[in-house]
Amino acid sequence: MTALTTVLTALGLAGCNRGPSLETRPAITASPGDHRDLAIGSAGFTESELLAQMYAALLAHAGYRTRVLTVGNRELYEPALEAGQIDVVPEYAATFADWLNAKNKGSKAAPVASSDLGATMAVLRRLATDRGLTVLPAGRAVDQNAFAVSAAYAREHRLKTLSDMGRAKLPVRLAAGDECVQRPFCAPGLRKTYGIDITAIDPKGVGTIPAKQAVQRGQDQMMVTTSTDATLDQFGLVLLADDKKLQNADYVIPVVNRARAGGARVAAALNRLNKVLTTSDLAHLNEQVDSWRRLPADVAHNYLVSKRLLPRG
């Protein structure tokens, strides 16, 4: 049995992706709790693990006993969060809002998130409250789709924004995931919002090394990555600004189980990170793990110490 399977079995999550039953409804309306032992969930990718480790360290410093559980995807950790088997998870505002809405209304439900953070958070909080969850304030860091070109290409065509790319009327072969063909925030949105001439999708994935190499070599003109990708400069790539806000407000947010961790002390501890962590910081932390091969727990601890959120030593 793998470590991940062991975790899922211990949580009783295998095959479970439903919300609370009627029998658990009292927990949803319960007063905010303040349990001393808290499980922090991680989705298993570098950024999620870093955020979970920082949450755990800040809560431990505030007097809680904490542990980090790696649960591979939202379909597993969100029901565990509702059930109180996980108490805190790092999430992304727009993505989580649309995910909860689709969970309520089905996979074909119209999106409820937008590029407006305030409006997105208002919808998200209503959806989360119905499931016994509390969404804490968004921080400064945002991780959303972003579009990169080679620095040489940007200089040649005087490109700084996606609007510049549209005005240049250049044919663009885009390195991306297969889903980019139909996702409204990918190829269709680039065409509609910016007038960019996407001639083809090169299915090399989002932010992958092959995608970066293809743009670096000029085989593709642009690629889809994320705003916290810290390795672009290694390939001579730069981001074009999303100046018309095509992308949704995917700001980093802590989400907690209200009955177990919905009190003011947890919120205060986690909000200390929100006040300092930037998108650039998060990109650099990702780089330390992915490129420098440092352990997420060590990188998280060192960052918190550097920002005086934890004592030295």
Side-chain angles (χ1 to χ4, degrees):
M1 182 178 290
T2 66
L4 179 56
T5 302
T6 301
V7 170
L8 298 185
T9 301
L11 292 174
L13 296 177
C16 175
N17 62 359
R18 295 173 295 179
S21 65
L22 291 176
E23 288 78 12
T24 64
R25 287 294 169 185
I28 292 178
T29 57
S31 298
D34 190 29
H35 282 247
R36 305 297 295 174
D37 292 281
L38 298 178
I40 293 83
S42 160
F45 58 92
T46 296
E47 187 168 294
S48 183
E49 182 71 14
L50 282 164
L51 289 165
Q53 292 289 348
M54 286 191 281
Y55 290 0
L58 287 170
L59 290 168
H61 183 60
Y64 295 90
R65 290 182 291 271
T66 63
R67 66 191 189 281
V68 173
L69 296 177
T70 300
V71 183
N73 57 57
R74 192 174 283 111
E75 287 77 10
L76 290 170
Y77 70 68
E78 191 277 334
L81 185 64
E82 290 186 34
Q85 296 163 322
I86 292 175
D87 303 303
V88 185
V89 294
E91 261 293 355
Y92 302 91
T95 296
F96 198 45
D98 280 337
W99 193 88
L100 287 180
N101 187 55
K103 186 172 181 178
N104 285 349
K105 298 181 178 179
S107 59
K108 295 184 180 179
V112 294
S114 70
S115 60
D116 185 324
L117 177 60
T120 297
M121 288 290 285
V123 172
L124 173 56
R125 284 186 167 127
R126 288 197 297 270
L127 291 166
T129 297
D130 289 343
R131 293 187 170 276
L133 308 178
T134 296
V135 179
L136 300 183
R140 299 165 63 191
V142 58
D143 187 351
Q144 58 194 179
N145 283 346
F147 300 89
V149 299
S150 75
Y153 185 84
R155 285 193 300 271
E156 179 184 357
H157 299 288
R158 298 181 180 180
L159 306 176
K160 293 184 178 180
T161 69
L162 290 171
S163 287
D164 292 339
M165 177 69 90
R167 284 191 292 267
K169 303 300 181 185
L170 298 164
V172 174
R173 180 176 164 92
L174 180 65
D178 292 331
E179 69 280 0
C180 183
V181 173
Q182 58 187 13
R183 289 280 175 87
F185 307 114
C186 202
L190 292 172
R191 293 187 180 104
K192 181 178 180 180
T193 302
Y194 289 106
I196 296 175
D197 181 17
I198 305 296
T199 60
I201 301 297
D202 185 5
K204 285 185 163 59
V206 175
T208 64
I209 290 177
K212 291 170 183 173
Q213 291 172 334
V215 175
Q216 181 184 42
R217 296 167 183 165
Q219 298 166 350
D220 298 331
Q221 287 70 51
M222 190 162 68
M223 65 169 287
V224 181
T225 184
T226 66
S227 56
T228 57
D229 188 333
T231 64
L232 293 175
D233 59 343
Q234 297 177 21
F235 297 87
L237 307 182
V238 294
L239 293 178
L240 297 182
D242 179 19
D243 53 307
K244 293 184 179 179
K245 298 188 182 299
L246 171 63
Q247 301 305 313
N248 278 344
D250 256 333
Y251 284 75
V252 174
I253 51 167
V255 182
V256 304
N257 178 285
R258 176 181 171 85
R260 288 186 52 82
R265 291 180 67 244
V266 167
L270 297 179
N271 194 49
R272 297 177 67 214
L273 179 63
N274 281 351
K275 292 179 179 179
V276 300
L277 182 68
T278 65
T279 303
S280 177
D281 288 346
L282 198 48
H284 183 55
L285 297 177
N286 287 334
E287 181 183 26
Q288 291 181 58
V289 175
D290 291 336
S291 298
W292 305 357
R293 301 303 180 192
R294 294 181 176 172
L295 295 175
D298 293 341
V299 173
H301 177 82
N302 291 340
Y303 176 78
L304 295 176
V305 170
S306 74
K307 295 297 181 179
R308 298 182 180 179
L309 300 181
L310 291 181
R312 293 188 179 276

